[in-house]
Amino acid sequence: MSEHSLKIKQLTFLSLTSILIAACQPATDSKQNESAQETRFVSTERSYYGTLEPFASEAIYFAMTDRFVDGDPSNNYPEQGGEHNTFQNPLKGPGNQMAYVGYMGGDFRGILNNAQYIKDMGFTSVWLTPIVDNPDHAFSGGEPIEFGGAFKDGGKTGYHGYWGTNFFIEDEHWVSEDLRYQDLATQLKADYGIKLVLDVVANHGSPAFSMPSQLGDFGKLYDKSGQLVADHQNLEPEQLDHDNPLHQFYNRKKDLMQLSDINESNPAVLDYFVEAHSQWIQQGAAAIRIDTIKHMPNSFWKKWADEMRERHPGLYMFAESYSFDAEFIGKHTQPENGSISVLDFPGREAMLKVFENPSSDYSELLSYLYLEEGPYANPYDLATFYDNHDMSRINTDENGFINVHNWLFTSRGIPVVYYGSEIGFMAGTSEHQGNRNYFGQERIEIAKSHPIHNALKRIANVRKNSIALQRGLQVNLDFVGHTAAFYRVYEHQGEYQTALVLLNKGDVSHDFVVEKYLSSGDWVEAFTGEIITVKDQLVRKVPPHGVAVYWLNQKNTNSDMVTVLDKLMQ
């Protein structure tokens, strides 16, 4: 039984119960009879929605903390690491190209200083890379990383946060004397209405072996009290001793480069990470993003998710399962595997095909949506994105960025935008070609008048104020060439909104004539507030690389539309 079918059956049961209750009430006067009839009418009303997940109302700005803005130079520690220094560590490429594998200075203060900027763009949540303590040296083992290289960790630092050594404390590079994680979460929520997404790792710790000699805390793991609970001791995984308590947190096999591979079958591991991750939820994190979920068995994540939700009911979680196979990543979303949503990698693949290629066809986006049947427990709960820190940034021009944002913020899913995309920052570059380069305050000031930023701000704020775009069913009309037209429909518990979305990624204006599934009534132009009374058709010219959105704030009355909505809810 699908999630939508279950919801309809639940609603039908409630409706029948209301009818029986109303029918059994003693009718002492005509007003009570009228009231009973009204109860019967209201309670049998059908609901139409894509999701009721509260977090679906969010739009997420993804920032690598170290690479966003340096708001407090006192936590840069430019001399840290000595011979294995952790500051900047540039990789030189052809011409003047540069990438960096050391810390660049970004911190919590830089995030907070620019919270109004993030809010003004239309974002309501910020996903930060992991906040936990990482080693204080550049890694001396492995193969040396070079400009444009991949799958090599030699010479790199934990600036990204994914090499945790103590998952209970913040790394010293992020905090200021008066601004720790809890302070950041509290102030973002209270002053800007912004929530924090906690990026968590359980699959691995830091690089743990192949060093000429043991260096700092690489391969070590500490608990809440600062006690050492695991130590790889610079040994190859196959050399670990299962009878050594300090080795029992780790698997005796290699997985990702020289990273310590966490032993998911050790009950102490589950306890450690549930306790650590819960601590940050208690300090104000509103949702969780899970790193490298596919590298640990679903049985582990099921136990972890159950325990996290027992402690934090209603917690929204989404995961990185780096695969473009929808059937594969969809398994994470199923109840037997923990009901964990995922980043929509197949969607990312489709978006690049369409928005990197000006001659592409909008119809190439349809296959990843799975609006009726598909591998996901609910496709509307997926986190949708077009690039991130682990893959090349989208390689397109200003119009391409504008077009992809118009799609991302109107189609199904929870939109995620990687820092800098609002100006096309480092477009087309991979991780060690500049994808993760420092953004900085100067670029933020430039961004405020940038065409990509302005168009993003425009459509993101429309979504921010539209429950239909956030949670509504998607009903597609025409996806042909450079144009696409579709509805988003939300009708539930007395709240009604249908959004009509018209997209044009072409270089010339396009005249849309919409008749199919169109309900008569007063439609509101979302950007201007202009009201258009519609009977049989809606006509609108959409400019090049433009978007139009209309809202109908009443129930749909078009019988063909109702038939489609009923089918989608089955």
Side-chain angles (χ1 to χ4, degrees):
M1 183 185 299
S2 71
E3 182 184 10
H4 281 163
S5 297
L6 178 60
K7 288 172 180 173
I8 287 177
K9 289 180 183 291
Q10 290 172 337
L11 288 166
T12 303
F13 172 77
L14 292 172
S15 298
L16 290 171
T17 302
S18 300
I19 292 170
L20 289 172
I21 291 172
C24 292
Q25 298 299 315
T28 56
D29 56 38
S30 60
K31 287 186 177 180
Q32 281 188 310
N33 282 331
E34 291 173 4
S35 177
Q37 291 170 1
E38 183 178 351
T39 300
R40 286 195 293 270
F41 175 75
V42 172
S43 64
T44 57
E45 183 176 270
R46 299 294 294 274
S47 286
Y48 303 116
Y49 51 81
T51 180
L52 296 180
E53 166 59 55
F55 209 80
S57 297
E58 305 297 315
I60 304 170
Y61 188 78
F62 172 32
M64 294 199 77
T65 306
D66 178 66
R67 301 306 172 88
F68 188 57
V69 171
D70 184 359
D72 180 4
S74 71
N75 60 22
N76 289 353
Y77 304 102
E79 305 303 322
Q80 186 183 67
E83 181 183 350
H84 303 283
N85 188 262
T86 63
F87 192 64
Q88 294 191 349
N89 296 0
L91 303 176
K92 297 182 180 179
N96 295 319
Q97 296 182 75
M98 299 286 285
Y100 299 85
V101 293
Y103 290 88
M104 298 295 291
D107 46 37
F108 290 166
R109 179 65 64 190
I111 299 293
L112 187 60
N113 287 350
N114 291 284
Q116 189 64 50
Y117 164 79
I118 294 170
K119 177 182 179 179
D120 287 347
M121 275 193 289
F123 294 99
T124 56
S125 291
V126 175
W127 158 18
L128 298 179
T129 39
I131 62 172
V132 301
D133 199 24
N134 275 235
D136 295 340
H137 300 82
F139 183 48
S140 60
E143 296 181 73
I145 186 62
E146 71 282 349
F147 182 88
F151 303 110
K152 301 175 183 177
D153 282 340
K156 293 167 63 173
T157 68
Y159 72 89
H160 42 68
Y162 294 98
W163 291 354
T165 56
N166 189 331
F167 288 77
F168 290 92
I169 62 174
E170 305 102 320
D171 193 272
E172 68 275 9
H173 293 88
W174 316 145
V175 299
S176 300
E177 185 175 345
D178 60 346
L179 190 64
R180 305 193 74 84
Y181 187 75
Q182 186 167 7
D183 304 314
L184 177 66
T186 299
Q187 292 183 50
L188 285 176
K189 187 69 166 63
D191 298 340
Y192 304 98
I194 292 176
K195 300 174 182 177
L196 280 177
V197 176
L198 181 71
D199 199 338
V200 304
V201 186
N203 172 69
H204 60 266
S206 59
F209 55 94
S210 77
M211 295 170 282
S213 60
Q214 176 63 42
L215 180 64
D217 286 334
F218 283 108
K220 299 182 181 183
L221 198 62
Y222 297 87
D223 66 12
K224 192 171 187 177
S225 63
Q227 295 297 309
L228 184 69
V229 295
D231 188 350
H232 222 282
Q233 297 178 331
N234 199 26
L235 296 172
E236 295 282 333
E238 298 82 2
Q239 296 176 302
L240 295 175
D241 181 359
H242 183 70
D243 293 326
N244 184 335
L246 291 178
H247 294 178
Q248 291 171 3
F249 254 68
Y250 301 130
N251 286 316
R252 287 178 289 172
K253 63 178 179 63
K254 295 179 181 178
D255 185 20
L256 297 170
M257 280 78 77
Q258 291 79 37
L259 295 176
S260 56
D261 190 53
I262 301 296
N263 179 10
E264 68 281 350
S265 63
N266 183 348
V269 165
L270 179 65
D271 294 341
Y272 179 93
F273 284 108
V274 168
E275 187 68 26
H277 300 155
S278 291
Q279 171 186 288
W280 304 115
I281 299 298
Q282 292 164 0
Q283 291 192 19
I288 282 180
R289 180 265 185 185
I290 303 167
D291 185 66
T292 52
I293 193 172
K294 72 176 185 179
H295 290 267
M296 300 180 84
N298 288 327
S299 57
F300 173 85
W301 292 113
K302 168 64 173 168
K303 294 175 184 177
W304 176 88
D306 286 349
E307 290 204 29
M308 290 297 294
R309 289 197 179 99
E310 184 176 351
R311 295 180 181 218
H312 313 285
L315 180 65
Y316 175 72
M317 311 170 186
F318 66 103
E320 175 227 18
S321 186
Y322 200 136
S323 171
F324 300 106
D325 182 347
E327 293 291 336
F328 178 82
I329 69 173
K331 293 177 181 178
H332 302 294
T333 71
Q334 301 305 324
E336 64 269 23
N337 296 324
S339 297
I340 298 169
S341 191
V342 290
L343 284 154
D344 193 347
F345 278 83
R348 183 264 181 181
E349 185 176 43
M351 282 186 240
L352 261 62
K353 288 179 180 177
V354 171
F355 298 110
E356 285 187 338
N357 179 10
S359 63
S360 63
D361 194 298
Y362 255 119
S363 63
E364 295 176 74
L365 294 172
L366 294 173
S367 62
Y368 86 84
L369 295 173
Y370 294 103
L371 300 179
E372 296 186 46
E373 299 292 335
Y376 307 114
N378 191 336
Y380 292 89
D381 292 341
L382 270 58
T384 50
F385 72 108
Y386 55 83
D387 63 19
N388 65 23
H389 57 322
D390 288 330
M391 51 181 56
S392 294
R393 287 180 180 258
I394 190 171
N395 190 16
T396 190
D397 58 12
E398 288 185 1
N399 289 332
F401 275 99
I402 291 169
N403 292 330
V404 74
H405 290 150
N406 287 340
W407 167 254
L408 190 69
F409 282 83
T410 54
S411 57
R412 72 104 175 104
I414 303 170
V416 181
V417 174
Y418 187 34
Y419 81 97
S421 297
E422 62 267 35
I423 64 169
F425 182 59
M426 302 307 297
T429 59
S430 63
E431 175 184 347
H432 297 114
Q433 290 179 325
N435 170 299
R436 301 180 178 184
N437 278 6
Y438 181 70
F439 197 50
Q441 197 63 48
E442 287 187 16
R443 288 191 179 90
I444 284 179
E445 299 310 315
I446 292 170
K448 293 176 183 178
S449 59
H450 196 282
I452 299 174
H453 167 276
N454 294 344
L456 167 61
K457 178 179 179 179
R458 186 170 179 261
I459 191 59
N461 276 287
V462 164
R463 184 186 187 276
K464 187 176 183 178
N465 294 294
S466 172
I467 195 167
L469 293 180
Q470 296 164 4
R471 304 188 199 178
L473 288 168
Q474 182 165 336
V475 179
N476 292 332
L477 294 173
D478 297 314
F479 281 61
V480 180
H482 294 311
T483 65
F486 56 94
Y487 295 99
R488 299 291 305 277
V489 180
Y490 184 93
E491 297 184 10
H492 181 59
Q493 294 185 346
E495 190 167 10
Y496 313 115
Q497 187 178 79
T498 294
L500 171 62
V501 179
L502 308 174
L503 298 172
N504 177 17
K505 69 180 184 68
D507 292 329
V508 296
S509 296
H510 182 81
D511 293 314
F512 286 86
V513 179
V514 179
E515 298 176 347
K516 190 176 183 179
Y517 304 148
L518 188 68
S519 291
S520 299
D522 291 336
W523 290 75
V524 181
E525 210 286 342
F527 297 106
T528 66
E530 178 187 1
I531 297 175
I532 300 175
T533 300
V534 172
K535 290 187 177 180
D536 300 319
Q537 66 175 210
L538 188 151
V539 179
R540 172 65 188 268
K541 181 187 292 290
V542 177
H545 312 290
V547 55
V549 179
Y550 289 90
W551 292 324
L552 178 68
N553 296 312
Q554 65 182 52
K555 294 172 65 174
N556 278 281
T557 56
N558 184 291
S559 60
D560 291 337
M561 170 67 95
V562 172
T563 299
V564 170
L565 296 175
D566 285 339
K567 181 181 178 182
L568 289 174
M569 289 297 288
Q570 290 176 0

